């Protein structure tokens, strides 16, 4: 079935209470959709760009593996720490202005990394990570508000744009650094597209627009007390932990195996291109059966096969392994986003679940790159890292089997269990 026809579990996803802003139409709707995709392109570039130049950054700054691990971890940690603040800021400033603030933070933080010192890279990662956290939370809300009849299609395009931005950064960071004559400039250059996106978004941010309301019945029990919400958050966090381990360390791992810097960056780009395909195709895959358990398990299988190839297969076949890895990881991201929609009974709970899943999930994900750095420093190489990846995959499969069941969160009563669905959620 086409992505726009993805069914929702019964009871159907309902609009949040309260007045809805007038929906964009015609050319305005197309331009808004393209603007959201352009913003999404800027929400992942800082991760693979640092990965591609991490050996140069370590040599130039004298950073050891622990400091390098911290440089790759801080932005991911910020995704979790700053996600809860996005909705309150949007309510105060308006969603469009909050998105503009996010873009400005991404651009400023990325430019700050161009100073080329460890403190500057850490500070830049913190500022840019905060901006990315806001974008992660607010863009899906805009999709729900302005494209209520195309949620699945726009979610697929949005997640695909995230991967596209990472792919471009992975492929072009090393050539850009070589052309500019500085590894630090190769990091800072990605502030330019963020600045361009902010300029294009500025006209929408000038008039204040009402933020989408995150409803919920009065007296409903808190979402953090719901076991299904925690299962969805765990699934989001574990697949994100593997993804950011790949963003931060796949290129250095391949370079240690013998690939040159440019080839390692291109191979990381191949992986991210595979993520684009997985992001777009996975929502339909996730709705073929009664629930999402089989889809999530199969996608984790692709990830394990791809990682094994990157670590152990001949380097001549690493392109195939990277493509399989990306296909699986992109699919897992899209399935995680789809689960948020299908496990929520209405738009208000979906917004709250998205904030919880991203806040908890990305905080959990931040530990992945950090653990890789610790293992490398303790063992003197990456030989033990596959054990960590296999453990994350196993836990991810388990969380998918729990979160992927055809159930819906029920917050109507303090002790209400999650409702099962009768096929519609698959």
């Amino acid at each position: 079935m086409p992505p726009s026809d993805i069914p929702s579990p019964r009871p159907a996803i309902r609009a949040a209470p309260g007045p809805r802003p007038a929906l964009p139409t015609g050319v305005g709707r197309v331009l808004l959709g393209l603007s959201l995709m352009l913003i999404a392109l800027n929400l992942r570039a800082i991760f693979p760009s640092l990965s591609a130049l991490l050996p140069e950054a370590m040599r130039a700054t004298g950073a050891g593996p622990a400091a390098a691990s911290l440089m790759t971890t801080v932005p991911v940690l910020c995704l979790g720490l700053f996600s809860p603040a996005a909705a309150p800021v949007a309510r105060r400033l308006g969603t469009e202005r909050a998105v503009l603030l996010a873009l400005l933070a991404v651009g400023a933080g990325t430019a700050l990394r161009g100073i080329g010192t460890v403190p500057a890279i850490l500070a830049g990662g913190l500022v840019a990570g905060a901006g990315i956290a806001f974008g992660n939370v607010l863009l899906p809300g805009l999709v729900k508000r302005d494209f209520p009849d195309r949620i699945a299609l726009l979610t697929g395009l949005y997640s695909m744009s995230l991967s596209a931005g990472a792919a471009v950064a992975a492929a072009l960071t090393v050539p850009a650094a070589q052309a500019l004559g500085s590894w630090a400039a190769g990091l800072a250059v990605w502030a330019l597209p963020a600045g361009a996106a902010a300029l294009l978004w500025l006209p929408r941010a000038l008039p204040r627009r009402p933020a989408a309301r995150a409803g919920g019945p009065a007296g409903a029990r808190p979402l953090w007390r719901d076991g299904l919400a925690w299962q969805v958050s765990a699934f989001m966090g574990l697949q994100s932990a593997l993804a950011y381990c790949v963003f931060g360390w796949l290129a250095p791992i391949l370079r240690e195996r013998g690939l040159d810097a440019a080839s390692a960056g291109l191979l990381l780009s191949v992986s991210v291109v595979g993520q684009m395909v997985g992001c777009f195709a996975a929502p339909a895959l996730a709705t073929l059966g009664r629930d999402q358990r089989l889809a999530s398990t199969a996608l984790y299988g692709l990830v394990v096969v791809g990682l094994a190839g990157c670590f152990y297969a001949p380097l001549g076949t690493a392109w195939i392994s990277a493509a399989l890895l990306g296909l699986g990881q992109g699919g897992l991201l899209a399935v995680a986003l789809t689960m948020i929609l299908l496990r929520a009974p209405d738009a208000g709970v979906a917004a709250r679940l998205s904030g919880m899943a991203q806040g908890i999930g990305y905080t959990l994900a931040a530990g992945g790159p950090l653990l890789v750095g610790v293992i490398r420093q303790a063992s003197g190489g990456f030989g033990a890292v596959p054990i960590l990846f296999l453990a994350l995959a196993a836990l991810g499969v388990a969380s998918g089997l729990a979160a992927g069941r055809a159930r819906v969160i029920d917050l109507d009563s303090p002790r209400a269990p999650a409702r099962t669905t009768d096929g519609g959620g698959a």
Side-chain angles (χ1 to χ4, degrees), residues 173-422:
T173 294
V174 171
Q178 293 171 343
L180 296 171
S182 166
W183 65 269
L187 296 179
V189 73
W190 299 106
L192 297 177
L199 286 175
L200 292 175
W201 188 255
L202 181 61
R204 291 193 59 84
L206 292 178
R208 173 154 183 170
R209 302 170 187 266
R213 293 181 61 182
R221 62 193 174 107
L223 195 60
W224 57 265
R225 294 179 60 184
D226 185 87
L228 180 55
W230 280 97
Q231 291 163 5
V232 173
S233 299
F235 184 80
M236 170 67 81
L238 289 163
Q239 66 84 25
S240 295
L242 264 178
Y244 285 100
C245 285
V246 170
F247 277 143
W249 290 102
L250 181 61
I253 288 169
L254 292 169
R255 290 181 67 173
E256 189 168 280
R257 289 198 65 199
L259 282 183
D260 60 85
S263 296
L266 284 173
L267 198 143
L268 179 59
S269 179
V270 167
S271 175
V272 182
V273 169
Q275 290 184 29
M276 293 171 57
V277 177
C279 283
F280 191 74
L285 173 64
T287 57
L288 285 178
R290 187 176 184 277
D291 55 37
Q292 291 74 54
R293 290 177 292 181
L294 177 60
S296 63
T297 302
L299 289 167
Y300 264 113
L302 284 178
V303 168
V304 170
V305 171
L307 284 171
C310 290
F311 273 97
Y312 303 117
L315 287 176
T317 66
W319 308 97
I320 299 174
S321 300
L324 292 175
L325 173 61
L327 188 64
Q329 291 194 305
L332 286 172
L333 171 61
V335 168
L337 295 173
T338 303
M339 280 185 186
I340 290 173
L341 293 176
L342 297 182
R343 300 291 86 84
D346 56 49
V349 176
R352 294 165 58 195
L353 180 58
S354 177
M356 175 178 173
Q358 295 196 53
I360 295 173
Y362 285 123
T363 301
L364 176 63
L370 181 63
L371 282 175
V372 174
V374 170
I375 291 172
R376 184 181 186 277
Q377 185 171 31
S379 63
F382 293 108
V385 170
I387 299 174
L388 170 65
F389 288 173
L390 187 60
L392 289 174
L395 291 172
V397 169
S399 68
L401 292 175
R405 289 176 290 176
R407 299 186 299 162
V408 175
I409 292 172
D410 188 353
L411 302 179
D412 291 341
S413 65
R415 296 182 181 276
R419 297 191 294 267
T420 59
T421 64
D422 188 17

Side-chain angles (χ1 to χ4, degrees), residues 2-34:
S4 59
D5 294 331
I6 293 177
S8 301
R10 289 194 291 266
I13 293 179
R14 305 183 297 273
R20 179 189 295 276
L23 296 179
T25 59
V27 175
R29 197 178 209 208
V30 173
L31 291 177
L32 176 58
L34 292 175

Side-chain angles (χ1 to χ4, degrees), residues 145-165:
R145 189 192 71 186
D146 295 334
F147 298 90
D149 56 335
R150 291 290 184 269
I151 286 179
L153 175 62
L154 264 294
T155 299
L157 293 173
Y158 159 74
S159 57
M160 186 176 68
S161 298
L162 292 175
S163 297

